[in-house]
């Protein structure tokens, strides 16, 4: 696979950073270099150079999207911009790769399959669902639906690690259930689908393994940091957000069924193994 014929938008984010490792010859643009919301940015690009367009950009501030300013940004980045990408991918016969979210569902099913009807609860979820629909007009496309993404930079695991080392005993929600998705595995899945030329369509992609709560993840981080799991107190989502404004409703059941992507020959790492590796990296950086 000629990685020089790949264009990645959102190249400096968590996923973009991971994609730099698997596609070293690709072109990576961040928002300052390529404004994904402006049609003129696409017109000026030489599309003859590319076979693949990967969208690693998104507005992911779930609560921020509930504000008037955030709502506009979410729809511009997560839906309107995706429609532009799909339009130019289709016009230039380029394969479009787009990353989606479990927030397109309301979380009332114990496990979600790719063709489940959209039932978003929040502005963010609705904007991502609209982006999925827009992406499908690219004709040649892969949509990878993920949950609870962990990569380089600020994320839940890093935050819990930091809190543990500051001897803070947090309350963490215990009624949202799912699996972590490490960006390294997400990037490898994208590479696999493109290299093997798997059937186009939507694929669920998280790390493999059992589904647990955010509080369970936090306890594992605390133990790895040399603290007690009892330092983490589990609370319900309603309890955690009581009295706070502009809080987006969350899907409580976020487990994604992985049978379809496993059927292509790709099995992601168990999230426990990936978490152990990630925590070992944090420990070495803290030494």
């Amino acid at each position: 696979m000629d990685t020089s014929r790949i264009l990645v938008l959102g190249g400096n984010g968590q996923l973009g950073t991971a994609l730099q490792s698997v596609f070293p010859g690709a072109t990576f643009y961040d928002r300052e270099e390529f404004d994904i919301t402006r049609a003129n940015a696409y017109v000026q690009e030489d599309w003859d150079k590319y076979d693949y367009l990967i969208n690693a950009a998104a507005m992911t501030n779930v609560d921020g999207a509930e504000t008037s300013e955030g709502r506009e940004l979410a729809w511009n980045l997560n839906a309107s911009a995706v429609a532009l990408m799909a339009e130019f991918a289709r016009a230039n016969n380029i394969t479009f790769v787009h990353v989606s979210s479990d927030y397109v569902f309301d979380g009332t099913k114990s496990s979600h399959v790719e063709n489940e009807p959209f039932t978003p609860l929040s502005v963010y979820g609705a904007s991502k669902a609209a982006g999925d629909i827009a992406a499908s007009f690219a004709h040649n496309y892969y949509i990878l639906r993920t949950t609870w993404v962990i990569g380089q930079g600020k994320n839940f695991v890093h935050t819990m690690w930091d809190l543990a080392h500051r001897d803070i005993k947090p309350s963490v929600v215990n009624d949202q259930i799912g699996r972590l998705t490490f960006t390294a595995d997400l990037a490898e899945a994208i590479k696999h689908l493109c290299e093997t030329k798997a059937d186009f369509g939507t694929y669920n992609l998280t790390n493999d393994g059992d589904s647990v709560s955010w509080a369970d993840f936090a306890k594992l981080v605390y133990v790895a940091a040399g603290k007690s799991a009892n330092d983490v107190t589990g609370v319900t989502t309603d309890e955690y957000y009581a009295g706070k404004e502009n809080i987006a409703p969350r899907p409580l059941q976020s487990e994604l069924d992985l049978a379809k992507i496993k059927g292509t020959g790709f099995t992601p790492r168990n999230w426990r193994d990936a978490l152990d590796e990630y925590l070992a990296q944090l420990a070495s950086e803290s030494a």
Side-chain angles (χ1 to χ4, degrees), residues 45 57 110 117 124 145 245 249:
E45 192 64 31
S110 59
Y124 169 76
R145 190 164 290 136
E245 297 182 351

Side-chain angles (χ1 to χ4, degrees), residues 244-285:
K244 299 178 182 179
E245 297 182 351
N246 295 322
I247 300 301
R250 265 79 167 164
L252 297 185
Q253 298 291 333
S254 293
E255 178 183 303
L256 300 181
D257 185 287
L258 300 177
K260 184 176 179 181
I261 197 158
K262 287 181 179 180
T264 71
F266 183 84
T267 298
R269 292 178 297 170
N270 187 290
W271 65 261
R272 292 181 183 271
D273 295 331
L275 179 60
D276 286 344
E277 181 179 307
Y278 189 87
L279 291 171
Q281 178 184 340
L282 290 180
S284 66
E285 293 172 355

